[in-house]
Amino acid sequence: MPVVSLQNVSKTFENHVVIDKLSLDVFKGEFLTLLGPSGCGKTTVLRIIAGLETCDQGGIHIDGKDHTHVPACDRDVNTVFQSYALFPHMTVFDNIAFGLKLKKTKPGEIKQRVEETLALVKLSGLGHRRIQQLSGGQQQRVAIARAIVNQPLILLLDEPLSALDYKLRKEMRLELRQLHRKLGITFVFVTHDQEEALTLSDRVVVMNNGAIEQIGPPKEIYEEPLNRFVAEFVGESNLFDAEVIKTWGETMDIRVQGVLKTVKNRRGFQAGQRVKVLLRPEDMTVESGKQACLPGSFPGRVEEMIYKGTTVELIIRLEDGKQVVVLEFFNEDAEDISYDMGEGVCVSWIDGWEVVLPHE
Amino acid sequence: MKRWIGISWLTAVYAFLYIPLLTLMVYSFNQARFTTVWKGFTLKWYVKLMANQQLLDAFFNSLTVALVASVIATGIGTLGAFAVSHYRFAGRKIFFGLIYSVMMSPDIVMGISLLMLFVLLGMETGFLTLLLAHVTFCLPFVMVTVHARIRGFDSMVVDAARDLGAGEFQIFFRIILPMILPAVLAGWLLSFTLSLDDVIISFFVTGPAFEILPLKIYSMVRLGVKPEVNALCTILFLMTLAAVTAAHFLTKEREQ
Ligand SMILES: Nc1ncnc2c1ncn2[C@@H]1O[C@H](COP(=O)(O)OP(=O)(O)O)[C@@H](O)[C@H]1O
Ligand SMILES: [Mg+2]
């Protein structure tokens, strides 16, 4: 049984449909991420789960019980707000103790639980500080502590890392994962950063314009995107226009860039249909173009070479003007990866690593 | 050169503002009874003032009205400001705009309209009508002061409190009120001085049975300015100054 279940939820703000018949199940103990461009309705979904926003249509069940009309204060859900929203007139301790005090917890237990939580978020000894005396990273930890001290059924996190600098963000990512494992609470996390979504989550929900485009584990979202939006939003991609020539069983022939290729046909495409072929930069290969290109590969010229430490990113212009990004890994047995600007090359991909999408 | 012009200009402005007040204060310590000639320092007018039972009664009445009216206005105004910034309802902006129009309307208009209302309602002018009138003209000042403060902080804080289990009552008393307290106190002090100083509106809405200080002074000076009045005005001015200064620091404090 899902711990949160949204059924056909719609929300309109000032005649603008923000959430459009969205259904979503969140399972107990999982780390679920809502990923999508800014303005696509992620925060609104979170606020509907928290009860801070009502839905115009549809309903919400939490822990199997109808919560559509249950106010925020009576839901077993706590939120880490994007702006932290800490209480500026209280100390760190009082901020964290706020929820427990409202639940009439005994002072002794409050003290113990707040201290434990402070230790958990690595802020031991800072309980007496005022909020204004904390750094951004520390405020972030207080915001997390203030929510988890209540041991809610579900923890909602709205872009909690977006205000931190790069290094701190990576550190906090790891800590969030550890926290999730330690607490066993269901996490619903919101981000517009695909890397964050892929590294943190058990499942990713890709959203666009108030609707869900795809739900799945990070690997599936990345390797088997359902459509062009997901493919382009999650990770870098090269998309080629193609046409199906002939199909048989799970295989088909397609014409890409004037070249005939045999690929898998998992989605029942028909001969004559137009499709898109998606290739991740790391799934493409480059050969020196001193001889004529082999059949099945595309001739092109190197426009840019970007050194990235363990990889090299090549920007290649194909003969018809299309630009392709290829990621080459350094490995020990291969000779140096080095190309001259404007050098002729042949681009191909490892058979079977392509994803064929419907043409939209 | 430029600096000198600036300093002289500033001196002129402050002289313009404060010479009348200073004159009054200085003469409250003057020996002479009728002339404006300086005859030496004395405190006798202050002593005399203390013996004038009528004046003291009026002063006490004024303080009572100012205190009660400002407390009521602060209570209602604070809740009003909270409602305007916190709940979405139809006509919210118009409602708030109307507050300003009350603030800006001339005292004489307010006075006459309030008097008409009281007459229509068949109320006898006296303490109650005076109190209601003072609450009315203090209210907008409290609302505007408190509203500015509420607008100044992150509204997500309220959502956070609700998320942590706080109901409306707890949100107001544990989150909103502590955060806006300086503005509430400032609004209260402002109301207190406004009420204490008011002449025109009070003139219309109070009755002969309930005399207040500004009106008493007004009737006294019609027969010529007595040095006791100077002394009284000095005391009044210092009280107002203290209240306004306190209000100023309360609104400034914690803003940075
Ligand atoms: N209270 C509100 N009133 C009006 N429009 C809103 C409100 N909250 C959100 N919106 C609109 O709804 C859309 C989705 O917002 P949001 O859920 O915050 O997106 P995200 O978190 O994905 O960036 C945006 O276009 C935003 O302007
Ligand atoms: Mg958002």
Side-chain angles (χ1 to χ4, degrees):
Chain A
M1 188 184 63
V3 66
V4 180
S5 173
L6 299 172
Q7 299 116 10
N8 277 312
V9 168
S10 293
K11 179 78 189 173
T12 304
F13 284 121
E14 293 148 14
N15 302 326
H16 171 55
V17 179
V18 172
I19 302 297
D20 191 13
K21 295 201 204 66
L22 182 141
S23 296
L24 173 66
D25 283 343
V26 184
F27 297 105
K28 199 163 179 67
E30 78 173 326
F31 196 128
L32 183 92
T33 298
L34 303 179
L35 171 68
S38 108
C40 73
K42 306 179 296 292
T43 297
T44 308
V45 171
L46 224 55
R47 288 174 62 84
I48 287 173
I49 299 176
L52 295 169
E53 212 77 73
T54 54
C55 34
D56 299 337
Q57 271 153 43
I60 173 169
H61 279 67
I62 295 176
D63 207 21
K65 289 181 279 291
D66 188 359
H67 270 64
T68 314
H69 302 291
V70 174
C73 54
D74 298 332
R75 294 190 185 189
D76 196 1
V77 175
N78 287 115
T79 308
V80 177
F81 290 83
Q82 186 165 11
S83 58
Y84 310 153
L86 298 174
F87 307 129
H89 59 290
M90 294 183 193
T91 60
V92 169
F93 186 97
D94 289 336
N95 261 277
I96 300 174
F98 189 77
L100 295 176
K101 279 182 190 160
L102 289 175
K103 289 193 199 79
K104 305 260 180 316
T105 313
K106 287 195 199 72
E109 193 191 335
I110 291 182
K111 189 160 169 22
Q112 188 203 339
R113 274 170 71 177
V114 172
E115 297 294 347
E116 276 172 19
T117 313
L118 275 170
L120 205 58
V121 297
K122 307 197 170 129
L123 287 180
S124 293
L126 295 187
H128 62 280
R129 287 267 187 101
R130 296 199 70 84
I131 297 303
Q132 295 83 349
Q133 297 171 311
L134 299 181
S135 70
Q138 289 170 326
Q139 291 190 9
Q140 156 82 86
R141 286 161 191 270
V142 177
I144 294 173
R146 187 179 64 175
I148 61 176
V149 75
N150 304 293
Q151 298 168 347
L153 200 57
I154 305 136
L155 182 70
L156 308 175
L157 302 110
D158 193 356
E159 312 217 13
L161 310 184
S162 62
L164 306 179
D165 62 51
Y166 183 71
K167 192 159 168 286
L168 206 54
R169 202 155 66 217
K170 286 197 104 167
E171 258 173 56
M172 280 306 291
R173 244 187 239 169
L174 204 65
E175 282 189 37
L176 275 181
R177 270 248 63 135
Q178 288 166 351
L179 211 55
H180 175 247
R181 214 170 299 135
K182 242 184 256 176
L183 297 171
I185 297 175
T186 311
F187 277 33
V188 179
F189 181 91
V190 159
T191 182
H192 64 262
D193 179 340
Q194 47 107 6
E195 195 186 328
E196 221 165 84
L198 295 180
T199 51
L200 279 172
S201 335
D202 296 321
R203 286 198 305 155
V204 179
V205 178
V206 184
M207 284 184 64
N208 186 27
N209 284 330
I212 294 175
E213 297 281 354
Q214 186 171 0
I215 307 180
K219 193 163 150 54
E220 191 178 307
I221 296 282
Y222 187 74
E223 291 179 1
E224 305 281 337
L226 274 182
N227 55 41
R228 184 173 173 179
F229 176 81
V230 177
E232 293 195 315
F233 193 75
V234 183
E236 273 207 86
S237 50
N238 298 298
L239 279 167
F240 297 96
D241 285 318
E243 192 189 346
V244 182
I245 303 299
K246 187 171 76 179
T247 69
W248 66 95
E250 291 253 298
T251 318
M252 61 184 169
D253 277 350
I254 56 172
R255 183 180 289 123
V256 189
Q257 302 285 119
V259 171
L260 221 55
K261 287 277 227 185
T262 304
V263 298
K264 287 169 297 175
N265 182 6
R266 292 229 191 93
R267 300 188 198 181
F269 292 113
Q270 302 292 316
Q273 213 175 331
R274 295 180 58 202
V275 291
K276 290 255 182 208
V277 179
L278 162 76
L279 282 151
R280 299 292 184 194
E282 64 273 21
D283 295 344
M284 304 207 67
T285 55
V286 176
E287 302 280 334
S288 161
K290 296 211 174 71
Q291 289 96 31
C293 290
L294 294 169
S297 60
F298 319 131
R301 295 196 175 278
V302 175
E303 268 197 353
E304 203 71 66
M305 219 175 102
I306 302 155
Y307 176 74
K308 291 192 164 175
T310 52
T311 57
V312 170
E313 190 176 286
L314 298 168
I315 314 263
I316 293 163
R317 181 79 61 185
L318 299 184
E319 277 181 345
D320 67 340
K322 186 174 175 58
Q323 185 178 295
V324 185
V325 183
V326 181
L327 206 61
E328 293 262 283
F329 291 85
F330 290 111
N331 54 32
E332 284 150 32
D333 40 312
E335 68 273 36
D336 268 357
I337 305 167
S338 175
Y339 298 94
D340 296 323
M341 295 302 118
E343 184 180 333
V345 288
C346 299
V347 180
S348 186
W349 69 75
I350 302 160
D351 275 343
W353 288 18
E354 74 287 329
V355 176
V356 184
L357 302 171
H359 197 283
E360 286 153 42
Chain B
M1 189 61 201
K2 238 184 172 161
R3 218 176 124 231
W4 274 107
I5 294 175
I7 289 174
S8 344
W9 176 246
L10 214 63
T11 314
V13 169
Y14 274 84
F16 188 79
L17 285 174
Y18 281 96
I19 280 181
L21 283 167
L22 280 175
T23 316
L24 175 113
M25 287 188 193
V26 169
Y27 277 104
S28 73
F29 299 106
N30 191 4
Q31 285 267 12
R33 176 153 192 102
F34 297 111
T35 63
T36 47
V37 182
W38 183 257
K39 288 267 176 69
F41 181 85
T42 179
L43 285 176
K44 73 174 173 196
W45 307 120
Y46 287 88
V47 177
K48 238 183 152 167
L49 189 66
M50 292 305 136
N52 188 334
Q53 194 54 46
Q54 267 190 332
L55 263 185
L56 285 180
D57 283 348
F59 186 54
F60 182 73
N61 283 347
S62 269
L63 276 184
T64 311
V65 170
L67 207 64
V68 179
S70 61
V71 167
I72 296 175
T74 304
I76 301 177
T78 301
L79 289 172
F82 177 64
V84 166
S85 50
H86 197 61
Y87 299 108
R88 288 178 211 156
F89 51 86
R92 184 168 70 134
K93 292 223 172 83
I94 299 172
F95 181 74
F96 201 65
L98 286 174
I99 294 293
Y100 277 97
S101 73
V102 172
M103 221 157 93
M104 296 301 165
S105 69
D107 280 2
I108 192 122
V109 175
M110 277 280 279
I112 293 173
S113 55
L114 281 164
L115 178 63
M116 274 178 67
L117 179 71
F118 294 140
V119 170
L120 272 175
L121 291 174
M123 289 173 79
E124 205 166 311
T125 53
F127 173 72
L128 191 62
T129 51
L130 189 72
L131 182 69
L132 287 174
H134 281 216
V135 170
T136 308
F137 72 74
C138 287
L139 195 55
F141 289 91
V142 177
M143 268 191 79
V144 167
T145 314
V146 174
H147 185 255
R149 176 86 185 183
I150 295 181
R151 295 295 303 266
F153 63 70
D154 184 6
S155 66
M156 282 297 156
V157 167
V158 173
D159 281 341
R162 191 168 288 146
D163 185 74
L164 291 165
E168 295 300 306
F169 190 77
Q170 286 153 328
I171 289 175
F172 185 76
F173 283 100
R174 293 187 179 220
I175 304 296
I176 306 276
L177 198 58
M179 285 171 76
I180 61 175
L181 200 60
V184 173
L185 289 177
W188 173 64
L189 286 168
L190 203 60
S191 300
F192 184 77
T193 54
L194 283 171
S195 169
L196 203 60
D197 291 353
D198 180 71
V199 177
I200 302 174
I201 298 175
S202 305
F203 174 77
F204 288 99
V205 296
T206 191
F210 194 79
E211 257 191 322
I212 56 167
L213 196 59
L215 287 178
K216 179 80 189 160
I217 295 172
Y218 182 65
S219 63
M220 280 166 73
V221 293
R222 272 192 297 192
L223 310 170
V225 182
K226 290 189 189 129
E228 288 117 296
V229 173
N230 288 346
L232 190 58
C233 289
T234 303
I235 294 174
L236 261 181
F237 172 71
L238 290 178
M239 280 179 65
T240 312
L241 188 69
V244 169
T245 312
H248 176 77
F249 278 107
L250 283 169
T251 36
K252 275 277 168 261
E253 184 222 26
R254 284 203 245 167
E255 249 167 36
Q256 50 281 66

